[in-house]
Amino acid sequence: MHIGVLGTGTVGRTLAQALVDRGHEVRMGARAAGNAKAVAWSDAAGPLASEGSFEDAAAFGELAFNATAGAASLEALEMAGAEQLAGKVLIDVANPLDSSEGTAPTLTVCNDDSLGETIQRAFPEVRVVKALNTVTAAVMVAPELVPGDHTIFVCGNDEGAKTQARGLLEGFGWPPDSILDLGDITAARGMEMYLALWLRLWGATGTAVLNVAVRTAP
Ligand SMILES: NC(=O)c1ccc[n+]([C@@H]2O[C@H](COP(=O)([O-])OP(=O)(O)OC[C@H]3O[C@@H](n4cnc5c(N)ncnc54)[C@H](OP(=O)(O)O)[C@@H]3O)[C@@H](O)[C@H]2O)c1
């Protein structure tokens, strides 16, 4: 597939590399083409990799990932352009973290709303799937880093979009029965508010390479 990865941070580069490694053509987007991190990644990643603006990456992708800073994701997606994203699946991995008030981040949106919903409302023609935001970047594309069975969540309003997202997650190594569909995009509230717990799990265990497993009674 042609995939646009919006974001040049650890997550954007990790996803972009994993997608190239699986044979996809990937364009990484930043606020401006020629972003130093995007150029360095693209130069190292070979002929399937390219870089450009958010708009270039969105236009290039048949599907796109939102791997931008959550507090700025709407701004980034506006730069990408509604017309470039219309009808496409957007896998939103962002967390709306606000770290401006000190060491314990808060969420810029929560409780009765979420970033995933905000994006879906702002871009009604985009097929938003929230996924992968509950694990650290390395685990997103290599779930085997965490031993045993563990769970990754997806949600969104469009069943076909979730099926496509599932396919990519399975390509990253997530076993089909580890991918738990939580329903429509309002489930992004819980997936994003989980960050408060995830941050404390990181602190308590001393590693970000962690995940939770959902188990039910037989
Ligand atoms: N780090 C993890 O392991 C992890 C795990 C799960 C979820 N997440 C989430 O994934 C997302 C990406 O995280 P990250 O650590 O890779 O990178 P990040 O530093 O949170 O975000 C970097 C990206 O955000 C863009 N950006 C920053 N401010 C902007 C603004 N004012 N307007 C438009 N775009 C702006 C940057 O654009 P430029 O390229 O132009 O600089 C860059 O592409 C975040 O939402 C994060 O919460 C991270």
Side-chain angles (χ1 to χ4, degrees):
M1 282 183 90
H2 281 200
I3 297 180
V5 172
L6 311 180
T8 60
T10 306
V11 176
R13 286 178 280 127
T14 302
L15 288 170
Q17 188 61 50
L19 291 164
V20 161
D21 290 345
R22 283 154 185 79
H24 298 289
E25 285 189 50
V26 177
R27 184 160 300 166
M28 179 179 286
R31 279 171 279 195
N35 174 286
K37 287 183 194 167
V39 170
W41 171 75
S42 165
D43 286 350
L48 295 179
S50 60
E51 62 80 28
S53 64
F54 287 137
E55 187 178 13
D56 296 331
F60 176 83
E62 301 157 57
L63 172 151
F65 281 86
N66 173 36
T68 61
S73 286
L74 273 189
E75 210 178 316
L77 290 167
E78 274 155 22
M79 293 173 81
E83 61 285 1
Q84 311 296 347
L85 292 166
K88 296 179 182 174
V89 175
L90 178 73
I91 302 181
D92 173 32
V93 308
N95 284 308
L97 293 174
D98 177 359
S99 304
S100 61
E101 296 298 320
T103 52
T106 56
L107 298 175
T108 59
V109 55
C110 65
N111 208 25
D112 58 357
D113 200 0
S114 62
L115 178 62
E117 287 165 89
T118 308
I119 292 171
Q120 186 63 85
R121 276 198 306 276
F123 299 91
E125 292 182 29
V126 177
R127 301 153 72 203
V128 180
V129 178
K130 189 95 202 176
L132 296 173
N133 69 306
T134 54
V135 291
T136 199
V139 175
M140 291 180 188
V141 300
E144 69 278 7
L145 292 173
V146 177
D149 295 338
H150 50 98
T151 307
I152 196 75
F153 307 108
V154 297
C155 75
N157 297 343
D158 185 304
E159 295 303 322
K162 285 192 281 196
T163 301
Q164 277 197 50
R166 262 182 183 277
L168 287 172
L169 266 51
E170 288 174 23
F172 291 152
W174 290 94
D177 60 3
S178 72
I179 304 170
L180 188 56
D181 182 349
L182 297 177
D184 69 24
I185 193 66
T186 61
R189 298 172 193 181
M191 290 170 63
E192 294 171 11
M193 289 192 285
Y194 165 76
L195 257 290
L197 176 57
W198 185 90
L199 288 165
R200 298 306 285 246
L201 292 171
W202 180 19
T205 62
T207 178
V209 182
L210 68 91
N211 196 15
V212 293
V214 175
R215 302 206 201 290
T216 59

